[in-house]
Amino acid sequence: MSSKLPLFSQFVTDLHRIGREDDGSIAARGFDRLRSILGFDCAWYGWARFEPGRTIVQASSTLNLPGDFARFWTTMESQDLVARSLRETPGGVRTYDRNQPVQTDGMVELAERYRIRKWASAMHSRPNRTTVFFASIYRGDARPAEWETEDLHFLQGAVDHIFLAVQASQRRDATEPAALLVDPSGFAYLGLEACEGLLKSVWPGWTGERLPGALRRAVQRPGTVTLKGEGVVVSCERDDPSGLVRLRLSAIADLDRLTRREREVALLLAAGATHKQAAQALGSAPATIRNQIQAIYEKLGIRSRAELAGVVLQGRAGRDPGLTAQTRPAPRAFP
């Protein structure tokens, strides 16, 4: 790869620059830049998962290919010689030539339909993971140039660095430390390493790259859901740049463990109200307030009003990060 080493160095530098711009187009711009270096006509790249005897492309993008390319590929996936080789023996770059002796009907049909004559594919895989970032580049001239060895090395290095750039961007963009990119089946593609500790603390028996069942169900319902039993808030939304689902996890705030009425009681007591005053304010009997206080103490793991006031203060600070120990207002005494 000696002759293209300066180009590869510049390519990686450009990726870092694109990543700092945070415009969600790292992969697209990376492959567009790669096209000018390696001289291919079109490309397909994205996120895939390997199962025994099967390759599932969960999210992908194309460069200079018709919009139905990915959909058509799924009809001949079982005959894709390149995908089969990468699945069975991960690592390295695989190539295909329309004129090679070993063919399948599916490969021939895809090549003719999209005027592909030469094909090279690489992927970024990780140990003990079935999820990968892949890229296939295509030459379609009537007599396209052969792939040079250094071109294939360049492609593998580029795929690795594009993945790393996307991963770094995802970490920068995450508003919560526990953020993942997952597919609809709950397999994690990015962010699993950073979230592993939290996941194991909440689901001690969990292991692997597929999320626990409660999170898999949450993936099917975009929005925010609170898993009170697990003490976790889950936010789920489609991630447009990747085509996957962005999942954010955060611990439930102490006050969020309470019912709406219990929170109202807690706020009144923390402000200095007596049982009777809280009952009057809420239109409840004092005995009801006492029962609710007992439930509040049990849920929060506290035993005094002083501790309750601290919990309320901490909850307000969590909702307003600008509050500090000096600026937080003390609980107002109930009039």
Side-chain angles (χ1 to χ4, degrees), residues 17-246:
R17 176 182 53 78
I18 295 169
R20 287 194 298 271
E21 294 173 359
D22 286 336
D23 62 356
S25 62
I26 296 173
R29 293 173 65 181
F31 282 105
D32 189 56
R33 170 68 174 142
L34 188 64
R35 182 166 66 103
S36 66
I37 298 171
L38 297 185
F40 55 85
D41 299 302
C42 46
W44 184 38
Y45 57 91
W47 307 94
R49 187 177 82 248
F50 292 149
E51 291 185 353
R54 185 184 180 198
T55 300
I56 302 172
V57 174
Q58 289 290 354
S60 65
S61 298
T62 58
L63 175 66
N64 290 345
L65 280 168
D68 68 342
F69 181 86
R71 185 168 59 254
F72 179 81
W73 176 87
T74 62
T75 68
M76 51 77 62
E77 174 271 329
S78 63
Q79 298 185 54
D80 186 336
L81 299 174
V82 173
R84 182 188 304 170
S85 178
L86 285 170
R87 183 179 64 243
E88 294 176 350
T89 312
V93 180
R94 303 297 193 277
T95 61
Y96 166 81
D97 191 307
R98 175 63 185 85
N99 296 319
Q100 68 185 40
V102 179
Q103 299 281 350
T104 65
D105 291 342
M107 294 292 279
V108 170
E109 187 175 1
L110 183 139
E112 292 302 317
R113 182 185 182 101
Y114 298 103
R115 300 180 181 179
I116 293 169
R117 291 295 172 264
K118 295 190 183 297
W119 174 344
S121 295
M123 66 182 188
H124 178 88
S125 59
R126 291 156 288 180
N128 303 316
R129 299 284 295 275
T130 62
T131 56
V132 302
F133 179 75
F134 76 92
S136 295
I137 59 176
Y138 311 104
R139 286 175 175 166
D141 294 335
R143 300 181 63 182
E146 298 290 336
W147 298 112
E148 297 181 6
T149 300
E150 62 179 346
D151 290 339
L152 302 182
H153 289 323
F154 200 117
L155 174 62
Q156 181 64 67
V159 169
D160 289 336
H161 279 276
I162 289 173
F163 168 85
L164 294 173
V166 172
Q167 182 183 59
S169 177
Q170 190 264 347
R171 289 173 177 171
R172 285 194 301 270
D173 291 344
T175 57
E176 297 287 346
L180 305 100
L181 286 180
V182 305
D183 66 25
S185 298
F187 284 86
Y189 289 74
L190 288 175
L192 187 61
E193 295 81 1
C195 298
E196 194 170 13
L198 172 62
L199 293 173
K200 287 185 175 180
S201 69
V202 178
W203 292 276
W206 170 83
T207 186
E209 59 188 324
R210 195 179 190 194
L211 300 180
L215 294 182
R216 296 202 299 270
R217 290 188 289 274
V219 170
Q220 304 302 319
R221 302 188 300 271
T224 300
V225 60
T226 299
L227 305 177
K228 288 193 174 182
E230 292 84 357
V232 175
V233 176
V234 183
S235 176
C236 180
E237 63 183 1
R238 182 176 176 81
D239 184 78
D240 290 331
S242 70
L244 296 171
V245 176
R246 183 177 294 275

